[in-house]
Amino acid sequence: MDETVAIESRSEFALWAIERAKEIVAQEGTALALAARDMDEEGLREAGHKLGGAISEALLEVFDGLLGQDDQG
C-alpha cells in the first residue's frame, strides 16, 4: 500500500485497521487456507511467512506515520 492516509482520531484508526486487515486476509489468508486444505507443509510455511510479513508491514506503516507526526509537531 503506497498511499499515505491521514488518521486524526481513534475511530479513523480503527476503520483503517479493519480495512487493512481485510486486505491482508484477502491477499495472504487465502493462500494459507488453501495450503492447509491441501496439507501442503511447504505451502503452509510460505503462506504463513507472507501473512506475518504483511502484518508486520502494516504495523510499520502506522509506526512510520507516527514518526512523521512527531516531526511535524
Side-chain angles (χ1 to χ4, degrees), residues 18 23-24 28 58 60 65:
I18 290 167
E23 290 173 17
I24 291 169
E28 307 300 341
L60 289 172

Side-chain angles (χ1 to χ4, degrees), residues 35-66:
R37 181 196 68 190
D38 296 340
M39 296 191 311
D40 175 3
E41 289 186 32
E42 180 61 32
L44 276 170
R45 193 171 11 265
E46 184 178 324
H49 286 292
K50 286 183 179 181
L51 180 58
I55 292 168
S56 296
E57 184 179 313
L59 292 172
L60 289 172
E61 281 179 36
V62 173
F63 184 77
D64 290 345
L66 292 174

Side-chain angles (χ1 to χ4, degrees):
M1 186 171 213
D2 293 323
E3 65 186 60
T4 301
V5 177
I7 297 174
E8 298 180 12
S9 70
R10 185 180 177 106
S11 63
E12 286 179 0
F13 176 74
L15 289 173
W16 174 86
I18 290 167
E19 290 303 313
R20 193 69 177 103
K22 285 181 187 177
E23 290 173 17
I24 291 169
V25 169
Q27 293 173 2
E28 307 300 341
T30 302
L32 185 63
L34 291 173
R37 181 196 68 190
D38 296 340
M39 296 191 311
D40 175 3
E41 289 186 32
E42 180 61 32
L44 276 170
R45 193 171 11 265
E46 184 178 324
H49 286 292
K50 286 183 179 181
L51 180 58
I55 292 168
S56 296
E57 184 179 313
L59 292 172
L60 289 172
E61 281 179 36
V62 173
F63 184 77
D64 290 345
L66 292 174
L67 287 179
Q69 287 181 357
D70 288 344
D71 293 342
Q72 295 172 8

